[in-house]
């Protein structure tokens, strides 16, 4: 399956005008790598619940994670081009895309709030893929309500001691760097904790409905000692940082969902033109045609919203609400499109993992990285005032 | 070492569909660097990496050819030469204009190309090019070794393997198992935009030796064999019995 | 109108002679089998023996020069050459030397109003194209397109030709005992692909081929990349084109380049564990399953455990 198609070129042209040609070339070439080295293994990653590390490595080498940053090895590409690239990765293999997306959310945090030496030592290793990052925010007793976290960081001399448990952590166990948010004397603080730091341990893999190629586990810190220079930004300002990091991440997660939906849609479309029912091609039946139109409109509106939020982010204006809207629309649409794809395949859709895995993958993203409910609160507070 | 590699911007045969009349939908069809051409580019870059020098990538075709040239530049070629032709040319004319372009841009020690184009596979441009250039041709190489002024290749013919040796310069065609082509990084793709790309037209390369006639292509229609596409699923004992029954009914057993 | 035919493969040469005789007969001409260095045993029909100071066979560039030289004395508006790798190299050289059009891999060849026409597969065999060129022209013809010429050998005309010195030194590395004729003429072919885990497992594919009264073939990864079977077993765009009554693809995913070589099969059967494998789209019968279970079950069902 060709991942980069006319619809992508047209989207780039619509959002980037004359500059689109260079971006198209870039993404088409990335799609070539994805088609050859990622997509063919995607069904296997799902069946074997793991194994994405070589696909992830290949994309690090391609320079995917360098795209949206403008120094320290970044490629200075617009955020929208990066998000469209993540859509392509999502279409090739969703767990690989999610693992890289979250990794790059951490890279973004270090890039924007880290010290010059953290940028040189950590950020550059992150975008090159020399080190893998994990974003450790969620706790067993505080999911969407991140302020209720109980992980603590206590300053003792020139270091902090961190104690607490984080759960549903993507890349746990594989990561070299954990971006850990903990409660400190001054509020909340973010730390870069080395994967080999004494006192840090990772629990068993948590089985999941979908996104099985990527690893998810608990991260436990028991008096884990972290040098003070590993503090990111200022002590007490972590929530401000996290909020901003998550806004960008939401666009990316939305884009990954566009990719997931596209993969399911294309399979369904192919099936509809091959399969005959009552002597008639499925694709000639009115109900199928309506379904196809719905799916197509859903995918295009999701992509447009992700690119729209990206373009606002590029201008420097606040884009938190648009990012939240993009994620709501793209993730919920993806679940629906993948569901429709299963319906179109009928019994084969329900029994064939290569069809229903897209629905299982998409299903996570109305929950993770900002549940739809929380995102609606954010949008509403922008419209109506009041706390998010 | 001065290396040239000739590539084709080909129709993506895997994605090509027939329209309702059974003709290929060439308008708006996806196109790409020919599948086997990637191996030729990779081999050219490897020769440069082990022997030094520079690689010029040459592509004859329409405006889309620049896409393929840019990709070859991103993979590691140093400069590109677009030989613009408004119409499709047959193997004889293609090889003639390529030879003229190479003579102008050269001299080259090695001219590489793929065994054939992935869309229209003729396997003729290589030996023709060698003849126009008056150079030895080492065809269908699965292994290429340059040693000083000599080159040695290994070729797999239908019923035997052979090794060839000659003194450079030479024209070499490679088969796809010669190497695994690299994918350029995003940075390399961005940098490729700054590498030099020259353009000449076939008209500017014509002289009195140009082929006067060409192969004409008439109607192109889909090869329509309607396959039954009956698929058996289930335990092996059951599916194999069903298959044997089906083959008996076909009179094949 | 006389026709020259050449192939280094004697079986193919016999088929070309049939094609050539058909074309020549209409205009009261003759077809000649071009022989290089010496006349091969078992040659049919009229032969045109080319002799040079240097051996010609095995050097496509010299063969092209020799045929070009012979065409100066033997006017032949049509030259038919076997579609093999050697054939392509000879045709390419000759086309430039004599300014000839080349129709490659053509079937249904005919001469019509001073033009040579035929049909050929394009876009990996998905489409057929009508192609034509003005006489004189060369046509490359794949094996299996014509019945072999069966008339006894006729007179041999010898032509002395002068060629340039050989530019390439050549050494044979591995000669195959088995001729590719087996595949092209085979009625039943069982071909193995990437689904096979080890070279030793070719044995079960061979057993299935034996049980079905056929021979084995392979997709490119097995014959070329892995080298489990010789290049002569390679079925596909860049290998052999086959047209058996029954083609069984075992563990072959159905890459378009492979499918190009099997389109003319009467019945195609695919055995693959991946239901989404493209091979099922071009098959008459498909079995979704592990070949290591399905093939033994087939052998049992055929009474050949």
């Amino acid at each position: 399956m060709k991942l980069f198609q006319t619809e992508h070129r047209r989207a780039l042209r619509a959002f980037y005008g004359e500059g689109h040609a260079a971006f198209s070339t870039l993404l088409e070439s990335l799609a070539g790598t994805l088609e050859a080295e990622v997509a063919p293994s995607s069904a296997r990653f799902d069946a074997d619940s793991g194994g994405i590390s070589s696909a992830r490595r290949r994309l690090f080498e391609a320079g995917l994670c360098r795209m949206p940053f403008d120094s320290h090895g970044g490629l200075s590409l617009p955020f929208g081009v990066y998000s469209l690239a993540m859509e392509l990765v999502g279409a090739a293999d969703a767990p690989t895309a999610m693992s890289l997306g979250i990794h790059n959310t951490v890279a973004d945090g270090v890039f924007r709030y880290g010290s010059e030496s953290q940028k040189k030592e950590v950020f550059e290793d992150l975008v090159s893929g020399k080190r893998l990052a994990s974003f450790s925010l969620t706790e067993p007793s505080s999911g969407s309500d991140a302020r209720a976290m109980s992980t603590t960081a206590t300053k003792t001399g020139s270091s902090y001691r961190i104690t607490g448990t984080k759960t549903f952590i993507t890349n746990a166990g594989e990561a070299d760097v954990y971006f850990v948010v903990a409660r400190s004397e001054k509020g909340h603080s973010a730390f870069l904790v080395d994967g080999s730091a004494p006192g840090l341990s990772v629990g068993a893999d948590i089985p999941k409905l979908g996104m099985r190629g990527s690893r998810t586990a608990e991260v436990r810190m028991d008096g884990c000692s972290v040098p003070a220079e590993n503090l990111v930004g200022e002590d007490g300002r972590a929530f401000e940082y996290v909020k901003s990091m998550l806004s960008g991440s939401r666009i990316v997660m939305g884009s990954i969902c566009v990719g997931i939906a596209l993969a399911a849609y294309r399979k369904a479309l192919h099936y509809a033109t091959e399969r005959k029912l009552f002597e008639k091609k499925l694709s000639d039946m009115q109900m199928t045609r309506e379904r196809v139109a719905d799916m197509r409109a859903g995918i295009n509106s999701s992509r447009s919203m992700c690119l729209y939020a990206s373009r606002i982010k590029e201008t420097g204006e606040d884009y938190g609400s648009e990012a939240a809207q993009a994620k709501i629309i793209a993730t919920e649409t993806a679940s629906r499109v993948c569901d429709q794809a299963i319906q179109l395949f009928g019994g084969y859709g329900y029994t064939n993992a290569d069809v229903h895995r897209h629905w299982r993958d998409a299903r996570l993203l109305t929950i993770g990285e900002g549940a739809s409910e929380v995102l609606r609160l954010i949008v509403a507070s922008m419209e109506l005032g009041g706390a998010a | 070492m001065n290396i040239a590699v000739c590539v084709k911007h080909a129709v993506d045969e895997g994605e090509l569909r027939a329209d309702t009349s059974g003709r290929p939908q060439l308008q708006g069809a996806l196109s790409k660097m020919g599948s086997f051409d990637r191996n030729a580019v990779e081999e050219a870059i490897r020769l440069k990496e082990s022997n030094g020098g520079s690689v010029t990538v040459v592509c004859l075709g329409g405006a889309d050819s620049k896409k393929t040239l840019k990709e070859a530049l991103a993979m590691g070629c140093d400069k590109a030469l677009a030989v613009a032709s408004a119409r499709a040319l047959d193997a004889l004319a293609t090889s003639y204009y390529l030879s003229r372009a190479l003579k102008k841009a050269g001299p080259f020690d090695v001219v590489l190309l793929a065994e054939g184009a992935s869309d229209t596979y003729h396997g003729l441009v290589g030996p023709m090019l060698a003849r126009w250039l008056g150079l030895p041709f080492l065809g269908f190489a699965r292994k290429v070794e340059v040693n000083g002024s000599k080159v040695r290749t290994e070729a797999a013919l239908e019923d035997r393997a052979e090794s060839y040796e000659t003194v450079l310069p030479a024209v070499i065609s490679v088969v796809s198992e010669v190497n695994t082509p690299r994918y350029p990084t995003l940075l390399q793709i961005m940098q490729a935009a700054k590498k030099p790309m020259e353009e000449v037209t076939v008209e500017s390369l014509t002289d009195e030796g140009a082929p006067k006639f060409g192969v004409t292509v008439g109607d192109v229609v889909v090869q329509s064999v309607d396959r039954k596409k009956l698929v058996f699923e289930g335990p092996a004992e059951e599916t194999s019995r069903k298959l044997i029954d089906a083959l008996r009914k076909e009179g094949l057993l | 109108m006389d026709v020259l035919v050449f192939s280094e493969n004697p079986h193919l040469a016999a088929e070309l002679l049939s094609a050539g005789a058909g074309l020549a007969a209409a205009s009261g001409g003759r077809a000649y089998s071009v022989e290089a260095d010496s006349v091969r045993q078992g040659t049919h029909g009229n032969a045109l023996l080319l002799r040079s100071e240097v051996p010609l066979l095995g050097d496509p560039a010299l063969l092209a020069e020799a045929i070009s030289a012979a065409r100066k004395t033997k006017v032949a508006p049509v030259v038919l050459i076997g579609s093999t790798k050697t054939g392509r190299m000879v045709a390419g050289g000759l086309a430039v030397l004599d300014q000839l059009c080349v129709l490659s891999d053509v079937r249904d060849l005919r001469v019509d109003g001073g033009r040579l026409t035929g049909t050929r597969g394009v876009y990996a065999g998905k489409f057929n194209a009508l192609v034509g060129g003005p006489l004189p022209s060369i046509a490359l013809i794949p094996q299996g397109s014509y019945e072999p010429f069966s008339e006894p050998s006729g007179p041999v005309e010898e032509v002395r030709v002068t060629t340039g010195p050989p530019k390439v030194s050549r050494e044979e590395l591995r000669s195959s005992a088995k001729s590719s004729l087996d595949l092209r003429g085979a009625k039943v072919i069982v071909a193995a692909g990437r689904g096979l885990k080890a070279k030793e497992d070719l044995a079960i594919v061979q057993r299935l081929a034996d049980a079905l009264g056929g021979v084995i073939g392979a997709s490119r990864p097995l014959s070329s990349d892995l080298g489990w079977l010789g290049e002569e077993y390679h079925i596909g765009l860049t290998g052999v084109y086959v047209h058996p009554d029954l083609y069984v693809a075992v563990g072959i995913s159905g890459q378009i380049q492979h499918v190009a070589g099997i389109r003319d099969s009467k019945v195609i059967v695919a055995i693959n564990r991946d239901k989404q494998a493209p091979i099922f789209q071009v098959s008459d019968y498909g079995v979704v399953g592990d070949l290591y279970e399905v093939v033994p079950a087939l052998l049992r069902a055929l009474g050949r455990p």
Side-chain angles (χ1 to χ4, degrees):
Chain A
M1 184 183 75
K2 285 281 156 211
L3 291 170
F4 185 89
Q5 295 210 346
T6 312
E7 58 187 282
H8 296 109
R9 194 184 50 73
R10 284 168 45 130
L12 283 169
R13 183 173 219 159
F15 280 91
Y16 290 96
E18 281 321 298
H20 78 99
F23 301 147
S24 287
T25 306
L26 211 56
L27 294 190
E28 193 168 3
S29 172
L30 175 69
T33 306
L34 290 166
E35 282 154 24
E37 311 211 11
V38 180
S41 309
S42 186
R44 187 164 52 77
F45 297 157
D46 178 62
D48 300 350
S49 289
I52 61 168
S53 62
S54 67
R56 199 168 49 204
R57 166 97 359 243
R58 196 58 206 78
L59 294 173
F60 275 135
E61 283 164 9
L64 176 78
C65 292
R66 299 179 183 278
M67 290 179 79
F69 304 107
D70 57 15
S71 69
H72 294 272
L75 297 176
S76 307
L77 287 161
F79 195 83
V81 176
Y82 167 64
S83 81
L84 203 53
M86 290 304 286
E87 176 193 319
L88 300 176
V89 184
D93 184 61
T96 301
M98 189 183 66
S99 169
L100 287 165
I102 290 175
H103 165 89
N104 238 25
T105 300
V106 174
D108 180 48
V110 180
F111 185 73
R112 284 195 295 150
Y113 309 113
S115 63
E116 196 49 40
S117 79
Q118 283 170 345
K119 281 194 220 178
K120 272 213 91 47
E121 281 168 28
V122 182
F123 173 81
E124 288 184 16
D125 280 2
L126 293 183
V127 289
S128 70
K130 205 171 154 197
R131 288 200 264 177
L132 181 69
S134 171
F135 193 12
S136 303
L137 178 66
T138 305
E139 297 189 359
S141 56
S142 67
S144 292
D145 182 10
R147 282 169 207 274
M149 71 171 50
S150 59
T151 298
T152 56
T154 319
K155 193 161 187 193
T156 50
S158 62
S159 67
Y160 287 85
R161 294 184 81 79
I162 304 181
T163 297
T165 301
K166 300 284 179 183
T167 195
F168 304 139
I169 302 307
T170 303
N171 297 343
E174 294 176 294
D176 306 287
V177 183
Y178 291 81
F179 187 96
V180 175
V181 182
R183 194 185 277 277
S184 71
E185 270 175 34
K186 296 185 177 165
H188 288 90
S189 306
F191 299 91
L192 296 172
V193 182
D194 203 272
S196 61
L200 183 140
S201 62
V202 174
D205 251 14
I206 302 169
K208 301 191 291 289
L209 175 67
M211 292 287 189
R212 291 185 176 166
S214 75
R215 296 195 57 185
T216 308
E218 265 190 3
V219 176
R220 301 180 195 118
M221 286 150 293
D222 184 11
C224 182
S225 173
V226 179
E229 64 260 29
N230 286 19
L231 175 74
V232 180
E234 285 176 41
D235 200 348
R237 294 184 63 186
F239 266 126
E240 198 182 307
Y241 304 157
V242 165
K243 200 178 139 199
S244 170
M245 287 158 69
L246 283 177
S247 280
S249 190
R250 281 171 189 147
I251 300 178
V252 170
M253 295 302 141
S255 293
I256 292 172
C257 272
V258 180
I260 297 173
L262 198 58
Y265 170 71
R266 286 187 182 151
K267 280 181 191 170
L269 210 60
H270 179 72
Y271 183 76
T273 50
E274 291 285 327
R275 171 87 172 174
K276 282 184 181 162
L277 205 65
F278 308 119
E279 303 286 299
K280 224 174 152 182
K281 269 189 187 169
L282 214 51
S283 59
D284 289 336
M285 302 181 118
Q286 190 56 31
M287 275 189 296
T288 309
R289 301 181 80 81
E290 285 174 24
R291 184 162 283 146
V292 165
D294 274 354
M295 292 162 95
R296 170 40 79 197
I299 290 166
N300 279 356
S301 62
S302 303
R303 180 187 295 127
S304 305
M305 194 63 216
C306 290
L307 287 171
Y308 175 61
S310 297
R311 289 297 270 161
I312 297 177
K313 175 171 159 58
E314 289 163 25
T315 64
E317 281 187 60
D318 181 43
Y319 67 102
S321 176
E322 286 79 7
Q325 293 165 46
K327 183 165 180 282
I328 293 169
I329 291 173
T331 57
E332 294 180 3
T333 299
S335 286
R336 196 178 68 243
V337 167
C338 296
D339 184 70
Q340 285 172 314
I342 294 173
Q343 191 68 22
L344 220 142
F345 270 91
Y348 295 109
Y350 189 71
T351 52
N352 187 344
D354 205 37
V355 180
H356 61 61
R357 68 187 173 92
H358 300 299
W359 179 83
R360 290 187 283 106
D361 290 345
R363 196 62 192 80
L364 168 70
L365 290 170
T366 56
I367 302 169
E369 295 283 290
S372 283
E373 292 80 356
V374 174
L375 300 179
R376 285 189 164 84
L377 292 181
I378 292 172
V379 177
S381 78
M382 288 297 289
E383 305 299 308
L384 302 167
Chain B
M1 193 158 72
N2 220 355
I3 305 160
V5 55
C6 302
V7 295
K8 179 178 182 185
H9 185 73
V11 171
D12 191 333
E13 73 281 3
E15 299 288 315
L16 190 64
R17 303 271 174 270
D19 64 16
T20 45
S21 70
R23 269 75 182 178
Q25 261 174 352
L26 290 171
Q27 190 78 37
L30 291 169
S31 54
K32 55 168 193 180
M33 186 191 304
S35 317
F36 311 131
D37 298 327
R38 305 186 67 86
N39 297 98
V41 172
E42 175 67 32
E43 200 59 27
I45 297 166
R46 288 187 190 191
L47 282 183
K48 176 182 88 168
E49 284 168 352
S50 51
N51 299 280
S54 86
V55 180
T56 303
V57 56
V58 187
C59 184
L60 182 148
D64 276 0
S65 306
K66 290 196 177 144
K67 247 169 79 173
T68 280
L69 286 171
K70 279 183 192 156
E71 196 169 345
L73 289 174
M75 285 173 76
C77 295
D78 300 283
K79 51 189 162 185
L81 176 58
V83 183
S85 168
R87 60 196 172 87
L89 300 174
D90 71 356
L92 191 64
T94 300
S95 59
Y96 165 77
Y97 290 112
L98 283 176
S99 75
R100 301 280 300 165
L102 289 170
K103 275 183 191 160
K104 252 179 100 172
F108 295 100
D109 302 300
V110 176
V111 178
L112 278 160
L113 73 173
E115 61 172 301
S118 49
D119 55 353
T120 54
Y121 196 84
H122 293 280
L124 290 169
V125 172
M128 287 176 171
L129 185 58
R131 183 59 69 173
W132 287 117
L133 292 170
L135 297 179
F137 180 64
L138 312 184
F140 304 95
R142 62 177 183 199
K143 201 166 164 190
V144 180
E145 290 166 348
V146 171
N147 202 337
S149 63
K150 282 185 174 171
V151 59
R152 187 182 167 280
T153 65
E154 215 176 280
L157 301 182
E158 284 81 359
D159 57 351
R160 62 191 186 280
E162 294 189 337
S163 80
Y164 307 126
E165 196 176 275
T166 194
V167 177
L168 295 175
V171 178
I172 303 168
S173 84
V174 296
V175 297
S176 64
E177 52 267 27
V178 74
N179 56 41
T180 306
R182 68 193 69 188
Y183 284 95
T185 68
L186 295 171
L187 182 64
Q188 287 171 320
I189 299 160
M190 290 166 73
Q191 287 169 339
K194 298 180 197 104
K195 289 187 181 177
M197 180 162 341
E198 269 185 63
E199 187 173 340
V200 292
T201 61
V202 291
E203 289 76 18
S204 74
L205 295 170
T206 303
D207 74 350
E208 65 282 353
K212 308 281 181 300
F213 313 99
V215 174
T216 50
V217 179
D219 209 8
V220 181
V221 290
V222 71
Q223 147 95 289
S224 60
V225 180
D226 236 356
R227 296 286 171 188
K228 295 192 184 75
K229 296 190 205 170
L230 284 175
V231 176
F232 307 126
E233 286 183 272
E237 295 300 330
E238 205 178 288
T239 53
S240 52
R241 211 173 41 241
K242 283 184 188 159
L243 176 61
I244 302 266
D245 286 348
L247 295 183
R248 281 221 171 87
K249 278 192 198 125
E250 295 269 1
L252 288 167
L253 294 181
Chain C
M1 182 191 78
D2 286 343
V3 177
L4 297 185
V5 312
F6 170 78
S7 179
E8 77 289 356
N9 172 337
H11 305 288
L12 187 44
E15 294 180 13
L16 298 181
L17 208 46
S18 273
L23 292 176
S27 59
R30 281 205 180 121
Y32 295 85
S33 171
V34 171
E35 302 289 310
D37 305 334
S38 65
V39 177
R40 286 174 290 199
Q41 274 219 318
T43 295
H44 299 281
N46 303 316
L48 190 68
L49 173 61
L50 309 184
R51 277 186 193 278
S52 166
E53 299 286 307
V54 288
L56 301 170
L57 260 189
D59 191 322
L62 294 190
L63 280 165
E65 289 174 26
I67 297 173
S68 169
R71 286 185 72 249
K72 303 234 165 16
T73 54
K74 177 67 76 188
V75 177
V78 175
V79 182
L80 305 182
I81 295 177
S83 275
T84 60
K85 289 173 181 172
T86 301
R88 288 178 204 283
M89 294 191 268
V90 174
L94 179 59
V96 174
L97 286 168
D98 289 8
Q99 294 284 295
L100 304 174
C101 282
V102 188
L103 309 182
S104 66
D105 309 286
V106 278
R107 301 182 303 269
D108 310 326
L109 208 58
R110 67 186 58 147
V111 172
D112 213 353
R115 292 174 62 78
L116 185 65
T117 63
T119 52
R120 72 181 302 259
V122 286
Y123 308 122
K126 273 186 177 173
F127 294 85
N128 279 323
L130 272 174
V131 291
L135 295 178
S137 270
I138 301 172
L140 278 164
I141 299 181
Q143 193 164 3
S145 309
Y146 294 87
E147 289 299 318
F149 196 67
S150 54
E151 287 176 32
S153 62
V156 176
E157 286 180 43
E158 193 175 316
V159 184
R160 304 248 4 138
V161 291
T162 314
T163 63
K167 287 178 173 168
V168 176
S169 69
R170 195 173 57 93
E171 190 188 330
E172 192 157 312
L173 296 174
R174 178 183 63 85
S175 157
S176 167
K178 204 170 162 79
S179 153
S180 58
L181 179 73
D182 281 359
L183 271 184
R184 295 184 214 245
K187 293 287 176 215
V188 176
I189 297 173
V190 181
R194 234 7 209 296
L196 229 59
K197 291 188 187 122
K199 189 180 175 186
E200 296 69 51
D201 302 340
L202 281 169
I204 62 163
V205 179
Q206 181 67 58
R207 271 172 45 215
L208 182 60
D210 292 344
L212 294 168
V215 295
I216 68 169
S219 63
R220 187 163 190 155
L222 255 61
S223 56
S224 303
D225 301 343
L226 294 170
W228 290 355
L229 283 167
E231 182 72 26
E232 66 274 20
Y233 289 89
H234 166 195
I235 297 168
L237 180 67
T238 54
V240 182
Y241 286 65
V242 297
H243 44 93
D245 293 338
L246 173 60
Y247 184 83
V248 185
V250 179
I252 290 178
S253 66
Q255 290 290 315
I256 188 162
Q257 280 87 1
H258 178 72
V259 172
I262 66 170
R263 283 180 194 273
D264 290 335
S265 308
K266 282 212 184 81
V267 171
I268 298 178
V269 171
I271 299 168
N272 202 297
R273 56 187 294 187
D274 176 11
K275 206 193 151 192
Q276 305 295 323
I279 191 78
F280 289 120
Q281 293 301 320
V282 294
S283 298
D284 295 285
Y285 302 102
V287 175
V288 181
D290 185 346
L291 74 94
Y292 290 93
E293 289 170 23
V294 176
V295 173
L298 277 171
L299 288 169
R300 284 194 294 277
L302 287 162
R304 301 281 289 268

